[in-house]
Amino acid sequence: MYIEKIQSPADLRVMDIATLKAVAKETREAVLNRVSKHGGHVGPNLGIVEATVALHFVFDTPKDKLVFDVSHQSYPHKVLTGRANGFLGDVNDMDAISGYSSPAESPVYDNFEVGHTSTSISLATGLQKARDIKGSDENIVVVIGDGSLSGGEAFEGLDEASELGTGIIIIVNDNEMSIAENHGGIYKNLRLLRETNGQAECNWFKSWGFEYKYLEDGNDVEKLVELFRSVKGTDKPTVLHIHTEKGHGYAPATENKEPWHFSMPFDMETGKSLVDFGSHESYEQLFSDWMLKEMKDDPTLIAVTAGTPMAAGFTQHKREQAGKQHVDVGIAEEQACAMISGMAKGGLRPVWTVYSTFIQRTYDQIAQDLCVNSNPAVINVAWGGVNSMNDITHICLFDIPMLTSIPNLLYLAPTSCEEYFAMLKWAVIQEQKPVALRIPSNGVIHTDSPVDTEYSYEPKFKVMSEGSQVAVIAAGSFFQKGENVVSLLKEKGVNATLINPRYLNAVDTELLESLKASHKVVVTLEDGCKDGGFGQRVADFYSVSDMKVLVCGIKKDLYDRYDTQKLLSDNRLQDDQIVADVLSIL
Amino acid sequence: MYIEKIQSPADLRVMDIATLKAVAKETREAVLNRVSKHGGHVGPNLGIVEATVALHFVFDTPKDKLVFDVSHQSYPHKVLTGRANGFLGDVNDMDAISGYSSPAESPVYDNFEVGHTSTSISLATGLQKARDIKGSDENIVVVIGDGSLSGGEAFEGLDEASELGTGIIIIVNDNEMSIAENHGGIYKNLRLLRETNGQAECNWFKSWGFEYKYLEDGNDVEKLVELFRSVKGTDKPTVLHIHTEKGHGYAPATENKEPWHFSMPFDMETGKSLVDFGSHESYEQLFSDWMLKEMKDDPTLIAVTAGTPMAAGFTQHKREQAGKQHVDVGIAEEQACAMISGMAKGGLRPVWTVYSTFIQRTYDQIAQDLCVNSNPAVINVAWGGVNSMNDITHICLFDIPMLTSIPNLLYLAPTSCEEYFAMLKWAVIQEQKPVALRIPSNGVIHTDSPVDTEYSYEPKFKVMSEGSQVAVIAAGSFFQKGENVVSLLKEKGVNATLINPRYLNAVDTELLESLKASHKVVVTLEDGCKDGGFGQRVADFYSVSDMKVLVCGIKKDLYDRYDTQKLLSDNRLQDDQIVADVLSIL
């Protein structure tokens, strides 16, 4: 086996093409070994194996700098840069190696921690400028997928790379796919370029000012080597457009590309999942079913997604059912946000579903395009909270501080399935304001309690059970934690009040004022970063009174692949810790 | 005079070309009347007069929808849509009309409140989709300047407009300028298109999938009418590239385009400013002078701007002096943020200067590209606070909540000129973390007090004068307010402690703990939105103690063209109000 012996890419550079091909085969097997046992990105990595081998063969890494976009296609790169252990061993060895480019893991070969899309060219222009200023001669090489090209930052990066006018090599890895199908006008041009073997006069890359070369056989090591050699050391901004196959070399992944973009552990022979998802309800499924049903009666109801239709449960089948009432804008969250504002202005009822970690891309669009205009569009924030993605680049803990700092945005936090759909229905029908909803991230929990069907624009917290001394204000997916805390306090002889705040964007001053009469301690629970969040507003409200406020949430920090229970314990968010802290104040 | 009698654009549609030309002449004079007396955007509005007359003549506004990008070129549109009073009268009549597109002002003719760049196409695609769903037949017409094309959201909008594939007319108003010169690879293509009268094969717009027409004489009403008529009712995504002259018809503005982008009141005959700027120092001048001086010794020091070089004091002359050590990326804040991260990674020392209102465009880039990577780049945040831009779209009150919710970012708030430069020098030299500096926005205030030259990564607040009972923590440009409050309290017999927190991103827990010994009340003062801001973190710290905390800042809300003193009073931020509130707690 070659790859076990490859200490660094330098070991590749003494090989001949036949050996490189063998290395590629082994690398593919190593990737498959990891993803089948550990889970991870399948399609993107299988498609880029040959290109990665050729890159490290031709370029003088680590002197030459590689920057991967999203970096969910960096597994073969990891195999070849001293991290094969994370791919060959058993599943316990794999945890040490992340699924993304990471200087913390490999300061020599990985230049950036990357997880969000469309950032690679912009980051690389910084390295390009640094090289030009320092007068050194390293190659700056970007690997970006066609799907990632649709993000605004990628466009801004192309614009600057061309402006700088010096050597940068941008490898556009065109597998004709984003996570799902591509959306955007540029994909018509990419198709034209593929169909003309790169010869079409109308060439999007050339019009930006790039030198351009096309390679149809993007999974052929030899041709890739030839291509890369032909531009190594270039002093011009250059695009290499390579046509690859997503999932290359693994039949299940090439036959059914969208679900094989990412997979939980699976049986390599059959491709069948090793994880029993059971028949649990999911908000993705419930939401998409509800939307499809409502769409039939209301042609103005539009489901919007930005490259991640599955965040909204819009499978390929459901997208077809929705037809023109589903819009995917590509990986272009800014576009999604401004477009829903325009849609609402034009009389439609759009609901944009976006993961908490990606809503960060639209602070200004939410503030300016949407909230200053007060257009009644709805944003569905998915997976916000501790029970979510836990890679450092995908942490979902910051949507509360972010969204609650934007004026004129309601941010509602339903605590159950019934409350979520009641809020959603109200948000869709009302015509005055943008409303964001934080979909519960602690599973689909049903309630028998009646839920309101009308919501005011001013925050109205709801008292769920009335007690005294202690009031627990438990928001959204931490509501059940609030129930537990109240129940444990009862065992200790404290009959606490339980409150569902429902609104995160502001406090219900009347209710908070009323608590002063018979409460000494208010506890706030929020499933996210507490710095700048909900509870601190409650603390501010009581700050000149005698009320004690225990603000419970996650401390602002960088977290990487955290263990949820440990994160909760470290932040004193386990039920018994909260109870102990309350009792110590009383 | 025609324009006094124009009640609506319908009145234009009965005119002949000669009369339209007379209307254009009067409109230009009206615009000049306003900007010379009231101040405002000069060049962008003068250049678009003829196109605006032709637009309203050809298209059936308000049924047909106009969307202006940035909308600092919407003055002629306002003149022709019932708001000529804001341009013809004396200066007191002008205040009622804003400098931007505003449905609050004209719900019929203005479709969006707009102030930030590059949003128009994305917003318009929402109207486009709404029309397509509803089956109506209005034209959707976008007016976007060449400068605004460099922003990521504009690219995402182009991508979607092309994808939708139905009628939208995007008028690219090419005056060969952004606020300053253009930066980005696309401008090479725009030049080629101008030089070939739109005939070049390599056409950036066509490569996106647009129908394309070029007009060299973009200030000729008759030709514009002909052009617009040729595409009215189109069912295809269409770009009309019109070449206009920025400042057209007013010699001072065409001769010196950059300073005439925006002007304070001036004498129409001579073009001389009517505002005496005196010889006041400014941070723009001091910063750029300092940078140029340091650059001579340090070739790795790079000044970065994103379309607003004057935010950093980089006049055309100073840009030339800096040479390759100044990078303007165009109006592309995401690019600026990612690029400084890459530059720092590559060994440069970049300092990016950006207005508070525009840093909102880079929440995710600061979080992901910069802070997750912990690259030691410096961000200079300009004009944050109440003494700043006050249009609803340009409010500078949100940078504290926004930046302090991002992990691994130091946000320093200097209180004087000396402290600013001490912090800047440290931030530039240190090699561990991204650092943002909030440039004081209350004028250049000097201090005789010694300032530290080294700063820790953990927050260390500084006690400026020690008292008891009350501690005033006065941040950044509200520090002098803190001094006043302490001084007024002394008159009332209270010897308060004055603290310069210096750090906004976290609290100095040791110092806050120590205050408990001899203080009953802590007052926090911050020059910005208090919801999610600095003071609420202090309130959180003390929330289970007996310390009373008075959190002073601006309430989160939408503000439009506010009066600063009234804003302060409404938020109980006048010195005497703060003192009264403190005494009421004691």
Side-chain angles (χ1 to χ4, degrees), chain A residues 162 190 213 287 300 303 326 335 339 342 387 464 476 481 533 584:
Chain A
S162 168
L190 293 197
K213 293 191 178 194
F287 168 76
T300 68
H326 170 249
Q335 167 63 25
M339 191 179 187
N387 291 297
M464 304 303 288
K481 185 175 284 295
S584 78

Side-chain angles (χ1 to χ4, degrees), chain A residues 443-458:
Chain A
V444 177
I445 294 171
H446 292 279
T447 180
D448 296 330
S449 303
V451 292
D452 290 352
T453 53
E454 289 291 319
Y455 294 85
S456 61
Y457 296 100
E458 292 304 313

Side-chain angles (χ1 to χ4, degrees), chain A residues 156-214:
Chain A
E156 292 184 4
L158 284 170
D159 211 26
E160 180 65 26
S162 168
E163 159 106 356
L164 288 174
T166 58
I168 181 170
I169 296 165
I170 299 169
I171 297 169
V172 175
N173 171 35
D174 184 355
N175 59 24
E176 303 182 51
M177 288 282 287
S178 184
I179 296 173
E181 70 281 359
N182 281 314
H183 291 281
I186 56 169
Y187 298 104
K188 299 183 236 177
N189 194 257
L190 293 197
R191 189 185 316 125
L192 176 69
L193 290 168
R194 289 194 304 269
E195 288 171 358
T196 59
N197 199 30
Q199 299 304 306
E201 277 289 345
C202 184
N203 181 314
W204 192 70
F205 299 105
K206 286 187 181 175
S207 77
W208 284 92
F210 288 92
E211 302 286 308
Y212 172 88
K213 293 191 178 194
Y214 179 78

Side-chain angles (χ1 to χ4, degrees), chain A residues 337-383:
Chain A
C337 181
M339 191 179 187
I340 61 170
S341 180
M343 285 184 190
K345 174 77 181 178
L348 303 184
R349 302 181 190 274
V351 182
W352 171 38
T353 305
V354 55
Y355 292 119
S356 164
T357 188
F358 298 139
I359 203 169
Q360 297 184 182
R361 309 211 120 189
T362 59
Y363 187 102
D364 195 53
Q365 287 70 30
I366 294 174
Q368 295 273 325
D369 296 336
L370 188 56
C371 292
V372 168
N373 284 286
S374 211
N375 287 327
V378 180
I379 303 176
N380 241 343
V381 181
W383 293 15

